[in-house]
Amino acid sequence: MNTIVVGQLQRQFQDYIVSLYQQGYLDNQFTELRKLQDEGSPDFVAEVVSLFFDDCAKLINDMSTSLERPDHVDFKQVDSGVHQLKGSSSSVGARRVKSVCIAFKECCDVQNREGCLRCLQQVDYEYKMLKTKLQDLFNLEQQILQAGGTIPQVSMN
Amino acid sequence: MGMETESQFHVLAVDDSLFDRKMIERLLQKSSCQVTTVDSGSKALEFLGLRVDDEDPNVLSTSPHIHQEVEINLIITDYCMPGMTGYDLLKKVKESAAFKSIPVVIMSSENVPARISRCLEEGAEEFFLKPVKLADLTKLKPHMMKTKLKKESEKSAKEEESEVSKPEIEEEEAVIEILPLHQELESEQLETIVSSSNKRKAMEEVISTDRSRPKYNDITTSV
């Protein structure tokens, strides 16, 4: 094991994950999620996050359909979609996605179609952005493990 | 006395969302619980062995076909579910004679005080706001322990009733002198008294006396 390489990778990982928290992509709930990963469930975070992104894609697609026709918007369906999205983003620690969901819900409550469409676009952007970021993070993890190192525990206060 | 070996608590988790089921399952596993997840209230009732009458859904009967080998120590359920809500499930459990002693915990992503008090009034032990954290689950252990201890004390109480014929022996220290000679007590009875009595030390000294010796004054007593 090349300890210098491992050390570098670990530092990179640490810096990267800290920046994700600082830029508001992730919040404390992501830390909670990482606590649930162990030798028995080594891929838990990746699995849950993957489920979340699949959910995002599906819900956004359904809501898009509901919002399509200006004269015939199914706000009930949209509300249900936002509720689910807000719940799962909250559970995963996807802070920015969750923030958009809060705004999204408000637009839905007052049946503001334009507002909903804007929020929909934004939530789509945010989840895809987070997906890329987390993919980079998981890649770093893999590199550390392949180099024979361990993934550092990062505690955010 | 048959002390139960430290077995894991078994929790039944109910949530219609796959994502949430995966989360709560991992949380419970990480807290050393055995988990069964189901996606609806009716499936939860089925799992417990409660059959819902097709004609009148308010009538619940215990299915004669369910073996009841699975002992559930706690039910944790989401509040918002299509069909039977977590509240409905809570009510059904508390109304059933067979299962009302199982502690029920409700989870919800919404902080609605009226909802929370309604659930607690109906008999829910706890109300967790989602996302549920590992720390929240430590609150569950006391509720689950209660049902286990209750079952164990009910068991040993039954054993005492059927086997001990002279319960007064347990009370006084001076009783050692008036203890009947070993021949008069069945050895199993002696052992039961010993295990359930507080004056165990004194009793053990009586037991350890060589039973082949008939002489009364050979029994050593120490106070």
Side-chain angles (χ1 to χ4, degrees), chain A residues 29 32-33 35-38 41 44 47-48 51-52 55 83 88 90-92, chain B residues 17-20 22-23 26-27 29-30 80 109-110 130-135:
Chain A
Q29 186 53 30
E32 291 290 320
L33 212 68
K35 283 186 195 169
L36 298 176
Q37 187 160 288
D38 56 26
S41 289
F44 177 70
E47 284 168 9
V48 156
L51 251 179
F52 168 65
D55 262 2
H83 178 84
S88 48
S90 179
S91 293
V92 148
Chain B
S17 151
L18 171 63
F19 179 88
D20 288 341
K22 198 167 165 80
M23 289 292 298
R26 188 82 264 273
L27 280 161
Q29 283 170 348
K30 193 79 182 161
C80 280
S109 53
E110 290 163 321
K130 287 183 178 179
V132 177
K133 296 180 169 53
L134 259 178

PDB file of all heavy atoms in Angstrom, chain A residues 29 32-33 35-38 41 44 47-48 51-52 55 83 88 90-92, chain B residues 17-20 22-23 26-27 29-30 80 109-110 130-135:
ATOM      1  N   GLN A  29     -28.093  15.289   7.849  1.00  0.00           N
ATOM      2  CA  GLN A  29     -28.743  14.002   7.645  1.00  0.00           C
ATOM      3  C   GLN A  29     -27.863  13.064   6.814  1.00  0.00           C
ATOM      4  O   GLN A  29     -27.921  11.840   6.964  1.00  0.00           O
ATOM      5  CB  GLN A  29     -30.116  14.198   6.990  1.00  0.00           C
ATOM      6  CG  GLN A  29     -30.955  12.935   6.843  1.00  0.00           C
ATOM      7  CD  GLN A  29     -31.158  12.150   8.113  1.00  0.00           C
ATOM      8  OE1 GLN A  29     -31.185  12.687   9.224  1.00  0.00           O
ATOM      9  NE2 GLN A  29     -31.317  10.840   7.988  1.00  0.00           N
ATOM     10  N   GLU A  32     -25.759  11.308   9.170  1.00  0.00           N
ATOM     11  CA  GLU A  32     -26.530  10.246   9.814  1.00  0.00           C
ATOM     12  C   GLU A  32     -26.575   9.003   8.924  1.00  0.00           C
ATOM     13  O   GLU A  32     -26.486   7.871   9.389  1.00  0.00           O
ATOM     14  CB  GLU A  32     -27.966  10.710  10.092  1.00  0.00           C
ATOM     15  CG  GLU A  32     -28.077  11.772  11.173  1.00  0.00           C
ATOM     16  CD  GLU A  32     -27.762  11.235  12.565  1.00  0.00           C
ATOM     17  OE1 GLU A  32     -28.165  10.117  12.890  1.00  0.00           O
ATOM     18  OE2 GLU A  32     -27.090  11.966  13.315  1.00  0.00           O
ATOM     19  N   LEU A  33     -26.719   9.262   7.634  1.00  0.00           N
ATOM     20  CA  LEU A  33     -26.789   8.181   6.654  1.00  0.00           C
ATOM     21  C   LEU A  33     -25.484   7.377   6.653  1.00  0.00           C
ATOM     22  O   LEU A  33     -25.485   6.154   6.624  1.00  0.00           O
ATOM     23  CB  LEU A  33     -27.009   8.797   5.278  1.00  0.00           C
ATOM     24  CG  LEU A  33     -27.816   7.989   4.273  1.00  0.00           C
ATOM     25  CD1 LEU A  33     -29.245   7.888   4.723  1.00  0.00           C
ATOM     26  CD2 LEU A  33     -27.763   8.658   2.915  1.00  0.00           C
ATOM     27  N   LYS A  35     -23.493   6.954   9.000  1.00  0.00           N
ATOM     28  CA  LYS A  35     -23.377   6.164  10.241  1.00  0.00           C
ATOM     29  C   LYS A  35     -23.984   4.774  10.065  1.00  0.00           C
ATOM     30  O   LYS A  35     -23.651   3.845  10.791  1.00  0.00           O
ATOM     31  CB  LYS A  35     -24.148   6.850  11.379  1.00  0.00           C
ATOM     32  CG  LYS A  35     -23.481   8.045  12.002  1.00  0.00           C
ATOM     33  CD  LYS A  35     -24.314   8.506  13.202  1.00  0.00           C
ATOM     34  CE  LYS A  35     -23.904   9.898  13.645  1.00  0.00           C
ATOM     35  NZ  LYS A  35     -24.857  10.442  14.619  1.00  0.00           N
ATOM     36  N   LEU A  36     -24.922   4.677   9.137  1.00  0.00           N
ATOM     37  CA  LEU A  36     -25.618   3.403   8.966  1.00  0.00           C
ATOM     38  C   LEU A  36     -24.830   2.425   8.101  1.00  0.00           C
ATOM     39  O   LEU A  36     -25.216   1.273   7.944  1.00  0.00           O
ATOM     40  CB  LEU A  36     -26.998   3.640   8.348  1.00  0.00           C
ATOM     41  CG  LEU A  36     -27.944   4.490   9.191  1.00  0.00           C
ATOM     42  CD1 LEU A  36     -29.239   4.753   8.440  1.00  0.00           C
ATOM     43  CD2 LEU A  36     -28.251   3.802  10.512  1.00  0.00           C
ATOM     44  N   GLN A  37     -23.762   2.906   7.517  1.00  0.00           N
ATOM     45  CA  GLN A  37     -22.942   2.043   6.668  1.00  0.00           C
ATOM     46  C   GLN A  37     -21.894   1.366   7.539  1.00  0.00           C
ATOM     47  O   GLN A  37     -21.312   2.002   8.399  1.00  0.00           O
ATOM     48  CB  GLN A  37     -22.268   2.898   5.588  1.00  0.00           C
ATOM     49  CG  GLN A  37     -21.530   2.087   4.542  1.00  0.00           C
ATOM     50  CD  GLN A  37     -21.316   2.893   3.268  1.00  0.00           C
ATOM     51  OE1 GLN A  37     -22.258   3.136   2.529  1.00  0.00           O
ATOM     52  NE2 GLN A  37     -20.092   3.307   3.020  1.00  0.00           N
ATOM     53  N   ASP A  38     -21.703   0.081   7.329  1.00  0.00           N
ATOM     54  CA  ASP A  38     -20.662  -0.634   8.059  1.00  0.00           C
ATOM     55  C   ASP A  38     -20.208  -1.830   7.230  1.00  0.00           C
ATOM     56  O   ASP A  38     -20.609  -1.971   6.084  1.00  0.00           O
ATOM     57  CB  ASP A  38     -21.160  -1.054   9.452  1.00  0.00           C
ATOM     58  CG  ASP A  38     -22.423  -1.881   9.400  1.00  0.00           C
ATOM     59  OD1 ASP A  38     -22.674  -2.554   8.373  1.00  0.00           O
ATOM     60  OD2 ASP A  38     -23.186  -1.871  10.391  1.00  0.00           O
ATOM     61  N   SER A  41     -23.037  -3.710   5.791  1.00  0.00           N
ATOM     62  CA  SER A  41     -23.722  -3.007   4.699  1.00  0.00           C
ATOM     63  C   SER A  41     -22.786  -1.948   4.131  1.00  0.00           C
ATOM     64  O   SER A  41     -22.969  -0.749   4.367  1.00  0.00           O
ATOM     65  CB  SER A  41     -24.994  -2.324   5.219  1.00  0.00           C
ATOM     66  OG  SER A  41     -25.990  -3.240   5.534  1.00  0.00           O
ATOM     67  N   PHE A  44     -24.372   0.776   1.620  1.00  0.00           N
ATOM     68  CA  PHE A  44     -25.681   1.311   1.984  1.00  0.00           C
ATOM     69  C   PHE A  44     -25.919   2.712   1.447  1.00  0.00           C
ATOM     70  O   PHE A  44     -26.957   2.994   0.852  1.00  0.00           O
ATOM     71  CB  PHE A  44     -25.866   1.289   3.507  1.00  0.00           C
ATOM     72  CG  PHE A  44     -27.172   1.886   3.945  1.00  0.00           C
ATOM     73  CD1 PHE A  44     -28.366   1.232   3.698  1.00  0.00           C
ATOM     74  CD2 PHE A  44     -27.222   3.127   4.562  1.00  0.00           C
ATOM     75  CE1 PHE A  44     -29.581   1.785   4.079  1.00  0.00           C
ATOM     76  CE2 PHE A  44     -28.430   3.697   4.944  1.00  0.00           C
ATOM     77  CZ  PHE A  44     -29.612   3.020   4.701  1.00  0.00           C
ATOM     78  N   GLU A  47     -26.436   2.803  -2.254  1.00  0.00           N
ATOM     79  CA  GLU A  47     -27.717   2.197  -2.635  1.00  0.00           C
ATOM     80  C   GLU A  47     -28.877   3.136  -2.381  1.00  0.00           C
ATOM     81  O   GLU A  47     -29.761   3.315  -3.212  1.00  0.00           O
ATOM     82  CB  GLU A  47     -27.946   0.901  -1.843  1.00  0.00           C
ATOM     83  CG  GLU A  47     -27.116  -0.271  -2.339  1.00  0.00           C
ATOM     84  CD  GLU A  47     -27.145  -1.447  -1.374  1.00  0.00           C
ATOM     85  OE1 GLU A  47     -27.932  -1.422  -0.402  1.00  0.00           O
ATOM     86  OE2 GLU A  47     -26.370  -2.386  -1.602  1.00  0.00           O
ATOM     87  N   VAL A  48     -28.871   3.723  -1.204  1.00  0.00           N
ATOM     88  CA  VAL A  48     -29.965   4.617  -0.821  1.00  0.00           C
ATOM     89  C   VAL A  48     -29.990   5.854  -1.713  1.00  0.00           C
ATOM     90  O   VAL A  48     -31.051   6.291  -2.161  1.00  0.00           O
ATOM     91  CB  VAL A  48     -29.809   4.996   0.669  1.00  0.00           C
ATOM     92  CG1 VAL A  48     -30.493   6.289   0.975  1.00  0.00           C
ATOM     93  CG2 VAL A  48     -30.369   3.912   1.540  1.00  0.00           C
ATOM     94  N   LEU A  51     -31.379   4.976  -5.059  1.00  0.00           N
ATOM     95  CA  LEU A  51     -32.844   4.872  -4.967  1.00  0.00           C
ATOM     96  C   LEU A  51     -33.466   6.257  -5.021  1.00  0.00           C
ATOM     97  O   LEU A  51     -34.480   6.488  -5.682  1.00  0.00           O
ATOM     98  CB  LEU A  51     -33.232   4.226  -3.635  1.00  0.00           C
ATOM     99  CG  LEU A  51     -33.800   2.809  -3.637  1.00  0.00           C
ATOM    100  CD1 LEU A  51     -34.089   2.384  -2.212  1.00  0.00           C
ATOM    101  CD2 LEU A  51     -35.050   2.697  -4.481  1.00  0.00           C
ATOM    102  N   PHE A  52     -32.833   7.164  -4.294  1.00  0.00           N
ATOM    103  CA  PHE A  52     -33.315   8.540  -4.222  1.00  0.00           C
ATOM    104  C   PHE A  52     -33.307   9.196  -5.595  1.00  0.00           C
ATOM    105  O   PHE A  52     -34.294   9.806  -6.013  1.00  0.00           O
ATOM    106  CB  PHE A  52     -32.464   9.341  -3.233  1.00  0.00           C
ATOM    107  CG  PHE A  52     -32.688  10.827  -3.297  1.00  0.00           C
ATOM    108  CD1 PHE A  52     -33.922  11.386  -2.952  1.00  0.00           C
ATOM    109  CD2 PHE A  52     -31.676  11.690  -3.709  1.00  0.00           C
ATOM    110  CE1 PHE A  52     -34.135  12.754  -3.011  1.00  0.00           C
ATOM    111  CE2 PHE A  52     -31.884  13.061  -3.770  1.00  0.00           C
ATOM    112  CZ  PHE A  52     -33.113  13.593  -3.430  1.00  0.00           C
ATOM    113  N   ASP A  55     -36.005   7.850  -7.757  1.00  0.00           N
ATOM    114  CA  ASP A  55     -37.264   8.449  -7.321  1.00  0.00           C
ATOM    115  C   ASP A  55     -37.423   9.839  -7.913  1.00  0.00           C
ATOM    116  O   ASP A  55     -38.491  10.197  -8.412  1.00  0.00           O
ATOM    117  CB  ASP A  55     -37.270   8.586  -5.784  1.00  0.00           C
ATOM    118  CG  ASP A  55     -38.018   7.455  -5.117  1.00  0.00           C
ATOM    119  OD1 ASP A  55     -38.491   6.556  -5.838  1.00  0.00           O
ATOM    120  OD2 ASP A  55     -38.134   7.490  -3.887  1.00  0.00           O
ATOM    121  N   HIS A  83     -44.463  16.184  -2.006  1.00  0.00           N
ATOM    122  CA  HIS A  83     -44.421  15.633  -0.649  1.00  0.00           C
ATOM    123  C   HIS A  83     -43.424  14.485  -0.553  1.00  0.00           C
ATOM    124  O   HIS A  83     -42.614  14.411   0.371  1.00  0.00           O
ATOM    125  CB  HIS A  83     -45.832  15.167  -0.258  1.00  0.00           C
ATOM    126  CG  HIS A  83     -45.909  14.541   1.093  1.00  0.00           C
ATOM    127  ND1 HIS A  83     -46.043  15.281   2.251  1.00  0.00           N
ATOM    128  CD2 HIS A  83     -45.847  13.251   1.487  1.00  0.00           C
ATOM    129  CE1 HIS A  83     -46.078  14.469   3.288  1.00  0.00           C
ATOM    130  NE2 HIS A  83     -45.964  13.220   2.856  1.00  0.00           N
ATOM    131  N   SER A  88     -38.021  12.263   0.894  1.00  0.00           N
ATOM    132  CA  SER A  88     -36.810  11.486   0.627  1.00  0.00           C
ATOM    133  C   SER A  88     -35.563  12.359   0.586  1.00  0.00           C
ATOM    134  O   SER A  88     -34.505  11.940   1.043  1.00  0.00           O
ATOM    135  CB  SER A  88     -36.945  10.646  -0.645  1.00  0.00           C
ATOM    136  OG  SER A  88     -37.435  11.416  -1.706  1.00  0.00           O
ATOM    137  N   SER A  90     -35.071  14.945   2.328  1.00  0.00           N
ATOM    138  CA  SER A  90     -34.812  15.204   3.738  1.00  0.00           C
ATOM    139  C   SER A  90     -34.094  14.025   4.383  1.00  0.00           C
ATOM    140  O   SER A  90     -33.137  14.210   5.137  1.00  0.00           O
ATOM    141  CB  SER A  90     -36.149  15.473   4.416  1.00  0.00           C
ATOM    142  OG  SER A  90     -35.978  15.699   5.772  1.00  0.00           O
ATOM    143  N   SER A  91     -34.532  12.832   4.063  1.00  0.00           N
ATOM    144  CA  SER A  91     -33.932  11.628   4.644  1.00  0.00           C
ATOM    145  C   SER A  91     -32.518  11.377   4.180  1.00  0.00           C
ATOM    146  O   SER A  91     -31.740  10.718   4.860  1.00  0.00           O
ATOM    147  CB  SER A  91     -34.757  10.390   4.293  1.00  0.00           C
ATOM    148  OG  SER A  91     -36.009  10.444   4.917  1.00  0.00           O
ATOM    149  N   VAL A  92     -32.203  11.859   2.995  1.00  0.00           N
ATOM    150  CA  VAL A  92     -30.883  11.611   2.411  1.00  0.00           C
ATOM    151  C   VAL A  92     -29.893  12.715   2.780  1.00  0.00           C
ATOM    152  O   VAL A  92     -28.692  12.522   2.743  1.00  0.00           O
ATOM    153  CB  VAL A  92     -31.049  11.452   0.878  1.00  0.00           C
ATOM    154  CG1 VAL A  92     -29.861  11.938   0.112  1.00  0.00           C
ATOM    155  CG2 VAL A  92     -31.357  10.020   0.533  1.00  0.00           C
TER     156      VAL A  92
ATOM    157  N   SER B  17     -43.597   3.618   1.329  1.00  0.00           N
ATOM    158  CA  SER B  17     -42.485   4.051   0.481  1.00  0.00           C
ATOM    159  C   SER B  17     -41.306   3.085   0.582  1.00  0.00           C
ATOM    160  O   SER B  17     -40.810   2.807   1.673  1.00  0.00           O
ATOM    161  CB  SER B  17     -42.041   5.464   0.893  1.00  0.00           C
ATOM    162  OG  SER B  17     -40.670   5.667   0.617  1.00  0.00           O
ATOM    163  N   LEU B  18     -40.859   2.587  -0.566  1.00  0.00           N
ATOM    164  CA  LEU B  18     -39.721   1.660  -0.599  1.00  0.00           C
ATOM    165  C   LEU B  18     -38.485   2.300   0.015  1.00  0.00           C
ATOM    166  O   LEU B  18     -37.749   1.685   0.791  1.00  0.00           O
ATOM    167  CB  LEU B  18     -39.431   1.244  -2.046  1.00  0.00           C
ATOM    168  CG  LEU B  18     -38.143   0.440  -2.285  1.00  0.00           C
ATOM    169  CD1 LEU B  18     -38.182  -0.882  -1.561  1.00  0.00           C
ATOM    170  CD2 LEU B  18     -37.884   0.223  -3.769  1.00  0.00           C
ATOM    171  N   PHE B  19     -38.277   3.537  -0.337  1.00  0.00           N
ATOM    172  CA  PHE B  19     -37.140   4.283   0.175  1.00  0.00           C
ATOM    173  C   PHE B  19     -37.157   4.324   1.704  1.00  0.00           C
ATOM    174  O   PHE B  19     -36.166   4.013   2.368  1.00  0.00           O
ATOM    175  CB  PHE B  19     -37.181   5.704  -0.398  1.00  0.00           C
ATOM    176  CG  PHE B  19     -36.068   6.570   0.084  1.00  0.00           C
ATOM    177  CD1 PHE B  19     -34.859   6.602  -0.585  1.00  0.00           C
ATOM    178  CD2 PHE B  19     -36.222   7.348   1.219  1.00  0.00           C
ATOM    179  CE1 PHE B  19     -33.824   7.400  -0.127  1.00  0.00           C
ATOM    180  CE2 PHE B  19     -35.189   8.145   1.674  1.00  0.00           C
ATOM    181  CZ  PHE B  19     -33.990   8.169   0.999  1.00  0.00           C
ATOM    182  N   ASP B  20     -38.303   4.687   2.261  1.00  0.00           N
ATOM    183  CA  ASP B  20     -38.416   4.771   3.717  1.00  0.00           C
ATOM    184  C   ASP B  20     -38.283   3.418   4.386  1.00  0.00           C
ATOM    185  O   ASP B  20     -37.751   3.310   5.489  1.00  0.00           O
ATOM    186  CB  ASP B  20     -39.755   5.420   4.112  1.00  0.00           C
ATOM    187  CG  ASP B  20     -39.769   6.911   3.803  1.00  0.00           C
ATOM    188  OD1 ASP B  20     -38.676   7.493   3.629  1.00  0.00           O
ATOM    189  OD2 ASP B  20     -40.860   7.502   3.730  1.00  0.00           O
ATOM    190  N   LYS B  22     -36.446   0.982   3.325  1.00  0.00           N
ATOM    191  CA  LYS B  22     -35.016   0.661   3.316  1.00  0.00           C
ATOM    192  C   LYS B  22     -34.291   1.401   4.448  1.00  0.00           C
ATOM    193  O   LYS B  22     -33.452   0.844   5.134  1.00  0.00           O
ATOM    194  CB  LYS B  22     -34.401   1.043   1.966  1.00  0.00           C
ATOM    195  CG  LYS B  22     -33.065   0.353   1.745  1.00  0.00           C
ATOM    196  CD  LYS B  22     -32.581   0.462   0.323  1.00  0.00           C
ATOM    197  CE  LYS B  22     -31.110   0.100   0.206  1.00  0.00           C
ATOM    198  NZ  LYS B  22     -30.869  -1.352   0.189  1.00  0.00           N
ATOM    199  N   MET B  23     -34.672   2.656   4.644  1.00  0.00           N
ATOM    200  CA  MET B  23     -34.064   3.468   5.693  1.00  0.00           C
ATOM    201  C   MET B  23     -34.353   2.895   7.075  1.00  0.00           C
ATOM    202  O   MET B  23     -33.444   2.697   7.882  1.00  0.00           O
ATOM    203  CB  MET B  23     -34.589   4.914   5.640  1.00  0.00           C
ATOM    204  CG  MET B  23     -34.113   5.728   4.476  1.00  0.00           C
ATOM    205  SD  MET B  23     -32.348   6.110   4.546  1.00  0.00           S
ATOM    206  CE  MET B  23     -32.270   7.060   6.038  1.00  0.00           C
ATOM    207  N   ARG B  26     -32.584  -0.418   7.852  1.00  0.00           N
ATOM    208  CA  ARG B  26     -31.166  -0.284   8.179  1.00  0.00           C
ATOM    209  C   ARG B  26     -30.973   0.314   9.569  1.00  0.00           C
ATOM    210  O   ARG B  26     -30.121  -0.129  10.327  1.00  0.00           O
ATOM    211  CB  ARG B  26     -30.473   0.563   7.107  1.00  0.00           C
ATOM    212  CG  ARG B  26     -28.976   0.594   7.240  1.00  0.00           C
ATOM    213  CD  ARG B  26     -28.283  -0.624   6.640  1.00  0.00           C
ATOM    214  NE  ARG B  26     -27.970  -1.662   7.583  1.00  0.00           N
ATOM    215  CZ  ARG B  26     -26.857  -1.725   8.320  1.00  0.00           C
ATOM    216  NH1 ARG B  26     -25.957  -0.786   8.228  1.00  0.00           N
ATOM    217  NH2 ARG B  26     -26.662  -2.709   9.139  1.00  0.00           N
ATOM    218  N   LEU B  27     -31.797   1.292   9.876  1.00  0.00           N
ATOM    219  CA  LEU B  27     -31.721   1.915  11.202  1.00  0.00           C
ATOM    220  C   LEU B  27     -31.952   0.874  12.297  1.00  0.00           C
ATOM    221  O   LEU B  27     -31.240   0.827  13.291  1.00  0.00           O
ATOM    222  CB  LEU B  27     -32.776   3.030  11.333  1.00  0.00           C
ATOM    223  CG  LEU B  27     -32.425   4.375  10.709  1.00  0.00           C
ATOM    224  CD1 LEU B  27     -33.677   5.208  10.483  1.00  0.00           C
ATOM    225  CD2 LEU B  27     -31.465   5.146  11.596  1.00  0.00           C
ATOM    226  N   GLN B  29     -31.707  -2.442  12.029  1.00  0.00           N
ATOM    227  CA  GLN B  29     -30.644  -3.452  12.020  1.00  0.00           C
ATOM    228  C   GLN B  29     -29.425  -2.926  12.757  1.00  0.00           C
ATOM    229  O   GLN B  29     -28.794  -3.650  13.520  1.00  0.00           O
ATOM    230  CB  GLN B  29     -30.247  -3.801  10.589  1.00  0.00           C
ATOM    231  CG  GLN B  29     -31.228  -4.708   9.892  1.00  0.00           C
ATOM    232  CD  GLN B  29     -30.923  -4.834   8.410  1.00  0.00           C
ATOM    233  OE1 GLN B  29     -30.121  -4.078   7.858  1.00  0.00           O
ATOM    234  NE2 GLN B  29     -31.563  -5.773   7.758  1.00  0.00           N
ATOM    235  N   LYS B  30     -29.122  -1.678  12.512  1.00  0.00           N
ATOM    236  CA  LYS B  30     -27.967  -1.051  13.154  1.00  0.00           C
ATOM    237  C   LYS B  30     -28.183  -0.947  14.668  1.00  0.00           C
ATOM    238  O   LYS B  30     -27.242  -0.869  15.432  1.00  0.00           O
ATOM    239  CB  LYS B  30     -27.732   0.332  12.536  1.00  0.00           C
ATOM    240  CG  LYS B  30     -26.409   0.944  12.885  1.00  0.00           C
ATOM    241  CD  LYS B  30     -25.254   0.387  12.065  1.00  0.00           C
ATOM    242  CE  LYS B  30     -23.954   1.031  12.537  1.00  0.00           C
ATOM    243  NZ  LYS B  30     -22.772   0.305  12.157  1.00  0.00           N
ATOM    244  N   CYS B  80     -48.848   8.543   7.201  1.00  0.00           N
ATOM    245  CA  CYS B  80     -49.518   8.753   5.909  1.00  0.00           C
ATOM    246  C   CYS B  80     -49.342   7.576   4.986  1.00  0.00           C
ATOM    247  O   CYS B  80     -48.295   7.438   4.346  1.00  0.00           O
ATOM    248  CB  CYS B  80     -48.928   9.976   5.202  1.00  0.00           C
ATOM    249  SG  CYS B  80     -49.578  11.511   5.808  1.00  0.00           S
ATOM    250  N   SER B 109     -43.527  12.637   8.462  1.00  0.00           N
ATOM    251  CA  SER B 109     -42.642  13.706   7.990  1.00  0.00           C
ATOM    252  C   SER B 109     -43.223  15.070   8.349  1.00  0.00           C
ATOM    253  O   SER B 109     -42.567  16.086   8.217  1.00  0.00           O
ATOM    254  CB  SER B 109     -42.446  13.600   6.477  1.00  0.00           C
ATOM    255  OG  SER B 109     -43.693  13.546   5.842  1.00  0.00           O
ATOM    256  N   GLU B 110     -44.466  15.082   8.815  1.00  0.00           N
ATOM    257  CA  GLU B 110     -45.112  16.354   9.147  1.00  0.00           C
ATOM    258  C   GLU B 110     -45.330  16.515  10.647  1.00  0.00           C
ATOM    259  O   GLU B 110     -45.811  15.604  11.315  1.00  0.00           O
ATOM    260  CB  GLU B 110     -46.451  16.451   8.424  1.00  0.00           C
ATOM    261  CG  GLU B 110     -46.269  16.639   6.929  1.00  0.00           C
ATOM    262  CD  GLU B 110     -47.540  16.331   6.152  1.00  0.00           C
ATOM    263  OE1 GLU B 110     -48.246  15.374   6.510  1.00  0.00           O
ATOM    264  OE2 GLU B 110     -47.808  17.049   5.200  1.00  0.00           O
ATOM    265  N   LYS B 130     -39.883  12.290  10.876  1.00  0.00           N
ATOM    266  CA  LYS B 130     -38.902  11.854   9.887  1.00  0.00           C
ATOM    267  C   LYS B 130     -38.052  13.056   9.481  1.00  0.00           C
ATOM    268  O   LYS B 130     -38.575  14.178   9.423  1.00  0.00           O
ATOM    269  CB  LYS B 130     -39.625  11.324   8.643  1.00  0.00           C
ATOM    270  CG  LYS B 130     -40.283   9.973   8.821  1.00  0.00           C
ATOM    271  CD  LYS B 130     -40.895   9.560   7.482  1.00  0.00           C
ATOM    272  CE  LYS B 130     -41.522   8.206   7.535  1.00  0.00           C
ATOM    273  NZ  LYS B 130     -42.126   7.826   6.254  1.00  0.00           N
ATOM    274  N   PRO B 131     -36.813  12.874   9.120  1.00  0.00           N
ATOM    275  CA  PRO B 131     -36.117  11.595   9.061  1.00  0.00           C
ATOM    276  C   PRO B 131     -35.736  11.077  10.452  1.00  0.00           C
ATOM    277  O   PRO B 131     -35.213  11.820  11.266  1.00  0.00           O
ATOM    278  CB  PRO B 131     -34.857  11.911   8.253  1.00  0.00           C
ATOM    279  CG  PRO B 131     -34.645  13.368   8.383  1.00  0.00           C
ATOM    280  CD  PRO B 131     -35.983  13.984   8.638  1.00  0.00           C
ATOM    281  N   VAL B 132     -36.014   9.788  10.640  1.00  0.00           N
ATOM    282  CA  VAL B 132     -35.719   9.157  11.913  1.00  0.00           C
ATOM    283  C   VAL B 132     -34.205   8.948  12.015  1.00  0.00           C
ATOM    284  O   VAL B 132     -33.557   8.573  11.044  1.00  0.00           O
ATOM    285  CB  VAL B 132     -36.456   7.800  12.004  1.00  0.00           C
ATOM    286  CG1 VAL B 132     -36.114   7.087  13.303  1.00  0.00           C
ATOM    287  CG2 VAL B 132     -37.963   8.010  11.906  1.00  0.00           C
ATOM    288  N   LYS B 133     -33.673   9.233  13.192  1.00  0.00           N
ATOM    289  CA  LYS B 133     -32.233   9.077  13.387  1.00  0.00           C
ATOM    290  C   LYS B 133     -31.949   7.882  14.296  1.00  0.00           C
ATOM    291  O   LYS B 133     -32.819   7.435  15.035  1.00  0.00           O
ATOM    292  CB  LYS B 133     -31.657  10.336  14.031  1.00  0.00           C
ATOM    293  CG  LYS B 133     -31.779  11.576  13.177  1.00  0.00           C
ATOM    294  CD  LYS B 133     -31.172  12.767  13.912  1.00  0.00           C
ATOM    295  CE  LYS B 133     -31.002  13.993  13.058  1.00  0.00           C
ATOM    296  NZ  LYS B 133     -32.182  14.448  12.359  1.00  0.00           N
ATOM    297  N   LEU B 134     -30.695   7.440  14.254  1.00  0.00           N
ATOM    298  CA  LEU B 134     -30.263   6.333  15.107  1.00  0.00           C
ATOM    299  C   LEU B 134     -30.557   6.634  16.571  1.00  0.00           C
ATOM    300  O   LEU B 134     -31.005   5.774  17.319  1.00  0.00           O
ATOM    301  CB  LEU B 134     -28.763   6.094  14.952  1.00  0.00           C
ATOM    302  CG  LEU B 134     -28.323   4.946  14.064  1.00  0.00           C
ATOM    303  CD1 LEU B 134     -26.824   4.878  13.995  1.00  0.00           C
ATOM    304  CD2 LEU B 134     -28.892   3.624  14.551  1.00  0.00           C
ATOM    305  N   ALA B 135     -30.304   7.865  16.969  1.00  0.00           N
ATOM    306  CA  ALA B 135     -30.523   8.258  18.365  1.00  0.00           C
ATOM    307  C   ALA B 135     -31.982   8.093  18.783  1.00  0.00           C
ATOM    308  O   ALA B 135     -32.275   7.766  19.929  1.00  0.00           O
ATOM    309  CB  ALA B 135     -30.080   9.700  18.575  1.00  0.00           C
TER     310      ALA B 135
END
